[in-house]
């Protein structure tokens, strides 16, 4: 039956995918209102633009070292979003990004529509200001172009002025430049591909309450140049708006959004959009620790000449939806039947993709090959072929059916919740049997040794003695349940009766990203034929 479904799906264009409704988080209340966050997942540093029709909104977000990078999300109403593609297939230099570079890569992008094309700029703190462009944001994007080479550049946004001149604003990463909390503006060539002017500091947050000013977005409205930026720190900061009659300042500034008396900490850093219906909205993030930085939508009031966001400068929780031509409820995809000939858009690898990481199959499964761990390895921080997706809600349950095929002792695979700390439930070959093991590590980024808890010994489902190096197969259902950032594991042999197992695990965010869940497959034998995990399906439910 799965093969028939696979063939039917393969015959459909990618745009014909069914409208996905999440079982764990949907912001549209179905009565003309929405409840924040509009995306309860780690789309950090979001930015948004509107296409020429005025009906299509496109969002992107930081993706750091995860590949494919720069997710492209589409909406018709700023509330209901779906993933339609990615703008980056591979990060350069390959010699670096073929291995996990946690926290490196793509920081705080901006997306703009200009002269018939969509542009995304971002700062790679180690290599410089990068840009890609396309005429179809759901299609292929150009290969990245380095606009300005060098260390420390982050959070870049272009502005094409009325006379065709192009300016760029950016922040600075203290970890690379050894200074921060300043914003600089310079002129680019009219095509936005190279710097032709020198940087000018237009705002300085050093030594005052506006420290950690970064993430600037550049706009022009009614003859004023506007820079919208966060300040005050990621978990607890606020949103600034600043304006000037010249792109080079001086700028006057005001706080236009802050937590106030609400429960939404640090509401800041995002994108403003003016709709064809005359409304103004602002998408921003909220830092939710292990869950990452989730996306909120605020109304914007310009009546006093400044973009006051939310309700009198404080975040709204439930509010009337933006005016739009559609009421379709749709959410970013989470569950996957693995019936398509391409990888689902919700998935990312932890480094540049190599075909030996894993591939879809014609059998309605996705295969992840065992990664060869380095000699003396201590934990999974080094593993590039982690196949992961973002957590979609505060509470959810993930259930997957998979088969571990082993070619040698010690090969293992299963389900993982990955971050600075991680925990995985795996099956590992031990002689002619398998062990069910919980593998956990605290401070993986610090090189700490993981610990193991053997839960059960399992008989193989199939023993194939016809191969030169026989494969031994174990079919199993695995489950992880999340509530209040705590993870509990369970397993089953029939998919009906699940046995709770292992120790409760406290989720921890990754390096600038939220914790992510998905699949791990690895081994320690450098010379053995690779084994693999074959995922039949994965369901994300309440």
């Amino acid at each position: 039956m799965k093969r028939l479904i696979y063939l039917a799906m393969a015959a459909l264009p990618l745009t014909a995918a069914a409208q996905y409704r999440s079982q764990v988080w949907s912001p549209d209340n179905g009565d003309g209102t929405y409840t924040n966050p509009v995306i309860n997942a780690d789309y950090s540093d979001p930015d948004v633009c509107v296409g020429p029709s005025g009906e299509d909104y496109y969002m992107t977000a930081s993706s750091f070292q995860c590949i494919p990078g720069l997710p492209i999300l589409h909406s018709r109403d700023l509330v209901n979003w779906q993933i339609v593609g990615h703008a980056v297939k591979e990060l350069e230099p390959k010699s670096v990004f073929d291995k996990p570079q946690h926290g490196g890569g793509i920081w705080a992008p901006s997306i703009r529509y200009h002269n018939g094309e969509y542009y995304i700029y971002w700062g790679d703190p180690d290599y410089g200001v990068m840009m890609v462009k396309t005429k179809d944001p759901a299609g292929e994007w150009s290969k990245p172009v380095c606009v300005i080479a060098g260390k420390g550049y982050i959070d870049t946004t272009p502005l094409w002025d009325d006379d065709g001149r192009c300016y760029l604003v950016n922040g600075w990463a203290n970890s690379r430049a050894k200074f921060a909390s300043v914003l600089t503006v310079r002129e680019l060539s009219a095509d936005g591909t190279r710097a032709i002017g020198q940087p000018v500091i237009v705002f300085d947050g050093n030594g005052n309450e506006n420290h950690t000013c970064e993430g600037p977005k550049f706009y022009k409205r009614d003859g004023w140049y506007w820079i919208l930026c966060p300040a005050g720190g990621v978990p607890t900061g606020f949103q600034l708006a600043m304006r000037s009659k010249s792109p080079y300042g001086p700028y006057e500034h005001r706080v236009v959004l802050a937590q106030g008396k609400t429960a939404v900490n640090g509401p800041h850093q995002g994108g403003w959009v003016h709709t064809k219906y005359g409304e103004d909205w602002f998408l921003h993030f909220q830092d939710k620790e292990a869950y990452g930085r989730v996306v909120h939508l605020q109304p914007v009031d310009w009546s006093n000449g400044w973009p006051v966001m939310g309700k009198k400068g404080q975040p709204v929780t439930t509010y009337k939806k933006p005016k739009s031509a559609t009421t379709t409820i749709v959410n970013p995809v989470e569950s996957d039947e693995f019936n398509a000939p391409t990888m689902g858009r919700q998935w990312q690898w932890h480094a540049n993709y190599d075909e030996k990481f894993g591939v879809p199959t014609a059998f309605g499964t996705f295969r992840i090959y065992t990664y060869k761990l380095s000699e003396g390895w201590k934990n999974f921080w080094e593993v590039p072929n982690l196949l992961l997706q973002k957590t979609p809600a505060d509470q959810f349950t993930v259930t997957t059916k998979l088969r571990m095929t082993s070619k040698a002792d010690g090969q293992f695979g299963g389900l993982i919740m990955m971050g600075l700390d991680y925990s995985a439930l795996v099956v590992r070959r031990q002689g002619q049997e398998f062990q069910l093991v919980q593998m956990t590590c605290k401070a993986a980024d610090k090189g700490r040794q993981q610990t193991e808890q053997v839960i059960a010994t399992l008989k193989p489902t199939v023993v194939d003695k016809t191969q030169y190096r026989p494969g031994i197969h174990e079919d199993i259902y695995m489950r992880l349940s999340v509530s209040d950032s705590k993870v509990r594991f369970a397993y089953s042999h029939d998919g009906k009766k699940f046995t709770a197992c292992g120790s409760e695990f406290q989720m921890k965010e990754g390096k600038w990203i939220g914790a992510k869940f998905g699949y791990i497959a690895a081994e320690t034998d450098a010379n053995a034929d690779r084994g693999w995990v074959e995922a039949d399906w994965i369901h994300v439910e309440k």
Side-chain angles (χ1 to χ4, degrees):
M1 184 63 179
K2 282 213 56 164
R3 181 171 175 79
L4 293 176
I5 296 172
Y6 172 90
L7 292 172
M9 288 292 292
L12 292 173
L14 292 178
T15 55
Q19 304 289 346
Y20 183 84
R21 287 284 299 271
S22 173
Q23 294 188 30
V24 296
W25 186 261
S26 183
D28 195 320
N29 298 319
D31 60 0
T33 68
Y34 70 93
T35 297
N36 275 316
V38 289
I39 306 178
N40 202 3
D42 181 41
Y43 288 92
S44 62
D45 313 320
D47 193 35
V48 63
C49 74
V50 60
S53 71
E55 298 284 358
D56 295 291
Y57 304 99
Y58 293 97
M59 183 198 303
T60 190
S62 297
S63 53
F64 301 97
Q65 86 281 359
C66 301
I67 292 295
L70 284 178
I72 306 298
L73 293 92
H74 172 258
S75 177
R76 302 296 297 276
D77 62 4
L78 295 171
V79 171
N80 293 281
W81 293 91
Q82 57 184 331
I83 310 169
V84 296
H86 291 81
V88 169
K89 293 182 178 179
E90 189 172 70
L91 290 169
E92 294 283 355
K94 278 179 57 61
S95 59
V96 173
F97 288 103
D98 284 356
K99 298 178 181 180
Q101 302 298 318
H102 298 269
I106 297 174
W107 287 28
S110 60
I111 184 169
R112 293 292 180 267
Y113 179 78
H114 170 68
N115 198 25
E117 293 183 294
Y118 294 84
Y119 291 76
I120 297 177
Y121 284 73
W122 72 93
D124 181 315
D126 295 305
Y127 296 101
V129 178
M130 312 299 291
M131 181 268 285
V132 292
K133 65 179 183 176
T134 187
K135 292 185 177 180
D136 177 12
E140 293 290 317
W141 289 71
S142 66
K143 289 187 176 181
V145 171
C146 184
V147 178
I148 305 172
K151 278 184 177 287
Y153 300 103
I154 58 170
D155 305 356
T156 56
T157 304
L159 171 67
W160 278 274
D161 210 342
D162 304 329
D163 60 4
R165 296 172 73 176
C166 184
Y167 302 94
L168 185 84
V169 65
N170 69 275
W172 295 86
N174 191 73
S175 57
R176 275 72 164 184
K178 301 306 178 185
F179 65 86
S181 295
V182 294
L183 305 180
T184 55
V185 171
R186 77 189 71 206
E187 187 172 0
L188 300 183
S189 57
D191 63 1
T193 61
R194 58 190 174 86
I196 62 173
Q198 295 299 311
V200 175
I201 294 176
V202 298
F203 189 77
D204 188 351
N206 285 281
N208 58 57
E209 68 277 8
N210 298 317
H211 65 86
T212 324
C213 60
E214 55 190 10
K217 298 296 185 292
F218 216 171
Y219 306 96
K220 193 174 185 182
R221 182 183 187 273
D222 294 340
W224 290 92
Y225 295 89
W226 289 89
I227 296 175
L228 305 182
C229 78
V234 173
T236 57
F238 45 86
Q239 183 69 29
L240 293 176
M242 55 188 75
R243 69 181 184 182
S244 173
K245 285 295 185 177
S246 164
Y248 298 113
Y251 285 84
E252 56 179 324
H253 67 275
R254 293 185 184 179
V255 175
V256 293
L257 181 66
Q259 178 173 353
K261 297 180 180 179
T262 74
V264 181
N265 61 289
H268 59 47
Q269 190 157 346
W272 161 57
V273 63
H274 179 73
T275 76
K276 67 180 290 186
Y277 300 99
E279 295 182 335
D280 295 278
W281 298 87
F282 184 69
L283 284 157
H284 66 89
F285 73 67
Q286 174 199 11
D287 188 302
K288 292 176 63 176
E289 298 180 333
Y291 295 104
R293 290 174 273 185
V294 304
V295 183
H296 288 239
L297 177 67
Q298 306 295 337
V300 179
D301 178 10
W302 285 90
S303 61
N304 73 348
W306 289 83
V308 179
M309 300 169 179
K311 186 176 182 180
K312 297 182 179 179
Q314 296 186 26
V316 300
T317 300
T318 298
Y319 200 76
K320 64 180 181 180
K321 289 176 57 180
K323 292 179 182 178
S324 69
T326 180
T327 57
T328 303
I329 296 178
V330 62
N331 309 119
V333 173
E334 305 140 352
S335 298
D336 200 335
E337 300 299 323
F338 299 117
N339 289 327
T342 55
M343 188 172 77
R345 295 180 179 125
Q346 67 270 47
W347 299 104
Q348 292 175 301
W349 304 100
H350 244 35
N352 279 340
Y353 174 62
D354 184 308
E355 291 177 2
K356 293 186 292 296
F357 288 179
V359 291
T361 77
F363 323 122
T365 60
F366 197 98
R367 180 174 295 184
I368 304 106
Y369 287 104
T370 51
Y371 174 73
K372 303 285 187 179
L373 293 162
S374 64
E375 186 176 352
W377 73 283
K378 292 186 176 181
N379 61 57
F380 298 151
W381 199 247
E382 67 176 71
V383 177
N385 74 326
L386 295 170
L387 183 63
L388 306 175
Q389 62 168 290
K390 307 171 191 298
T391 60
D394 294 0
Q395 298 184 35
F396 61 97
T397 297
V398 176
T399 308
T400 185
K401 180 184 178 184
L402 57 84
R403 168 178 282 192
M404 178 69 205
T405 298
S406 176
K407 298 285 186 172
D409 263 7
Q411 294 177 339
F412 60 88
L415 197 58
I416 188 170
M417 180 66 78
M418 183 69 188
L420 299 173
D421 302 346
Y422 68 77
S423 192
L425 183 65
V426 305
V427 287
R428 178 175 61 192
R429 181 171 171 180
Q430 193 76 18
Q432 299 302 303
E433 296 178 322
F434 285 96
Q435 293 177 328
L436 184 67
V437 185
Q438 183 179 15
M439 297 178 172
T440 302
C441 185
K442 293 187 177 180
D445 60 314
K446 304 298 184 184
R448 301 285 176 81
Q449 182 70 51
Q450 75 170 23
T451 60
E452 297 183 1
Q453 179 182 354
V454 178
I455 296 164
T457 299
L458 310 172
K459 298 292 184 182
T461 308
V462 180
V463 178
D464 184 353
K465 297 182 178 179
T466 64
Q467 299 180 28
Y468 175 65
R469 291 180 177 167
I472 301 183
H473 309 261
E474 171 65 20
D475 294 305
I476 195 168
Y477 298 80
M478 291 184 173
R479 174 173 288 173
L480 66 81
S481 300
V482 173
S483 180
D484 299 324
S485 71
K486 293 180 174 60
V487 179
R488 298 168 180 85
F489 288 103
Y491 73 101
S492 172
H493 283 293
D494 60 10
K496 298 175 182 178
K497 182 180 179 181
F498 280 82
T499 301
C501 64
S503 301
E504 182 180 86
F505 169 69
Q506 176 65 53
M507 286 165 53
K508 183 77 171 178
E509 67 273 8
K511 183 68 171 178
W512 304 125
I513 63 176
K516 301 176 76 173
F517 69 91
Y519 297 99
I520 173 76
E523 63 175 308
T524 57
D525 189 338
N527 299 314
D529 290 349
R530 293 180 192 270
W532 59 84
V533 165
E534 199 129 277
D536 192 355
W537 48 258
I538 188 167
H539 296 161
V540 180
E541 302 163 314
K542 290 184 178 179

